[in-house]
Amino acid sequence: MALADTERRGSNCAESGSPFSEIIELNVGGQVYVTRHTTLVAVPDSLLWNMFSKKSPKELARDSKGRFFLDRDGFLFRYILDYLRDLNLVLPDYFPEKSRLQREADFFQLRDLAKRLSPRVSKDNSISEEICHSDTEEGALQCGLGSSGGMETLRTMSAAGGAMRSPSLDSRKSGYITIGYRGSYTIGRDIQTDAKFRRVARITVCGKTSLAKEVFGETLNESRDPDRPPERYTSRYYLKYNFLEQAFDKLTEVGFHMVACSSTGTCAYTSNDPNEDKIWTSYTEYVFCRE
């Protein structure tokens, strides 16, 4: 099987005239991506173009499984890869990590992408977003404010009762967020000082996507439920840290307060011997509300 894979990779390299195979596996900050060699070299003079066209496979860093390794943000790289596929950038309606994505674009030497992500300064020195989200009415209006038709549309909507809401108002809307916390601790038979407390497996976040992103920003891990629309609900997000108080602080800073709490617990022995240490596990949910 290994010989067959080697022969297949060799044939792919021979057909393309490149020392790299047609299909390439990448490990970017712990996230695995599989893409075509032509995608990685789509933008001439970019960092990936230099890596996969000017260098040989032996010159590039690899992980323990032989995948090419890049020590960058693995979650943001998905947008870099999307851009390389068709040289077009489409972001979710609510995307709080635009500045970090711009930094990634600068690192990968994708000048056009970095330019699209950079904030634009208007004549009155105010900063506005340069990227248009064509799939939303609000994004289309924001992109057309420079024209007389766009200004007239904005005046009409304002006169009709402010139908066009600013992002700052949207981000302060009311709602609920549930924080799930699973932990365990071990109590020794004789010496209580050997007890190991608060071994946290994961802190989960349940609620409306827009609220979760507003509160937790880049500390929110969306890998299990990416590109969830902002007005939809999810129970698959979790936090990139294990400090429950840090989650509470972030919720308090934006006006949330705890309204309910529920907990369950179980106890088990580490082995069949009842004289061995006991392991206690618990799961608690904290419900927060902003009115």
Side-chain angles (χ1 to χ4, degrees):
M1 181 64 69
L3 180 60
D5 290 341
T6 303
E7 292 177 350
R8 186 160 52 251
R9 286 196 297 268
S11 63
N12 288 337
C13 296
E15 292 174 2
S16 62
S18 169
F20 294 93
S21 61
E22 179 185 1
I23 305 300
I24 293 180
E25 291 189 27
L26 301 173
N27 178 347
V28 184
Q31 299 295 312
V32 177
Y33 293 90
V34 181
T35 186
R36 291 184 177 275
H37 177 262
T38 53
T39 300
L40 296 176
V41 297
V43 177
D45 296 324
S46 65
L47 178 67
L48 292 172
W49 182 85
N50 279 287
M51 289 176 59
F52 291 95
S53 65
K54 295 296 184 181
K55 296 184 178 181
S56 67
K58 294 182 179 180
E59 297 179 80
L60 303 181
R62 294 175 181 260
D63 65 7
S64 59
K65 294 186 178 180
R67 295 174 293 223
F68 295 105
F69 178 74
L70 292 168
D71 190 15
R72 301 301 297 180
D73 192 312
F75 299 104
L76 292 179
F77 186 75
R78 63 195 301 266
Y79 298 105
I80 298 293
L81 202 57
D82 283 344
Y83 173 76
L84 292 174
R85 290 188 177 108
D86 55 12
L87 301 183
N88 188 30
L89 178 64
V90 178
L91 296 178
D93 293 336
Y94 185 92
F95 188 74
E97 298 186 284
K98 195 172 296 182
S99 60
R100 294 187 62 200
L101 182 56
Q102 182 187 357
R103 184 180 64 182
E104 295 300 302
D106 288 331
F107 174 82
F108 286 106
Q109 301 172 15
L110 299 171
R111 298 177 182 84
D112 183 64
L113 177 59
K115 183 178 179 181
R116 296 189 194 184
L117 291 166
S118 62
R120 183 182 55 190
V121 180
S122 61
K123 293 181 179 179
D124 59 355
N125 291 328
S126 62
I127 297 178
S128 60
E129 298 293 342
E130 189 178 51
I131 296 179
C132 297
H133 299 281
S134 59
D135 56 342
T136 63
E137 181 181 358
E138 181 178 349
L141 288 171
Q142 289 175 345
C143 295
L145 290 181
S147 63
S148 59
M151 290 299 295
E152 184 62 31
T153 302
L154 180 58
R155 295 191 192 99
T156 303
M157 294 185 67
S158 300
M164 186 175 182
R165 301 175 61 189
S166 65
S168 61
L169 292 178
D170 287 337
S171 64
R172 299 292 300 183
K173 57 189 175 184
S174 61
Y176 289 84
I177 289 180
T178 300
I179 300 297
Y181 165 84
R182 187 183 304 278
S184 65
Y185 58 91
T186 303
I187 298 180
R189 288 170 292 167
D190 301 318
I191 305 176
Q192 295 298 315
T193 56
D194 289 339
K196 299 179 181 179
F197 293 97
R198 302 197 61 181
R199 296 174 56 194
V200 182
R202 182 166 289 175
I203 300 176
T204 59
V205 178
C206 308
K208 186 174 289 187
T209 302
S210 58
L211 288 178
K213 291 183 177 181
E214 175 204 340
V215 174
F216 299 107
E218 62 185 27
T219 64
L220 188 70
N221 193 322
E222 309 170 46
S223 61
R224 297 190 304 167
D225 196 10
D227 295 336
R228 167 73 58 163
E231 297 305 313
R232 299 290 295 275
Y233 291 82
T234 181
S235 60
R236 298 178 61 81
Y237 289 168
Y238 62 94
L239 300 180
K240 297 179 182 179
Y241 50 81
N242 291 333
F243 294 100
L244 190 62
E245 292 78 9
Q246 189 173 349
F248 290 174
D249 287 341
K250 287 185 173 293
L251 285 159
T252 303
E253 289 171 1
V254 292
F256 281 84
H257 62 278
M258 190 185 302
V259 295
C261 174
S262 176
S263 180
T264 60
T266 59
C267 174
Y269 293 101
T270 57
S271 68
N272 294 328
D273 186 354
N275 295 320
E276 292 294 330
D277 297 344
K278 295 179 180 180
I279 295 180
W280 294 82
T281 60
S282 64
Y283 179 73
T284 307
E285 287 188 340
Y286 304 89
V287 181
F288 287 79
C289 174
R290 185 173 65 188
E291 300 176 351

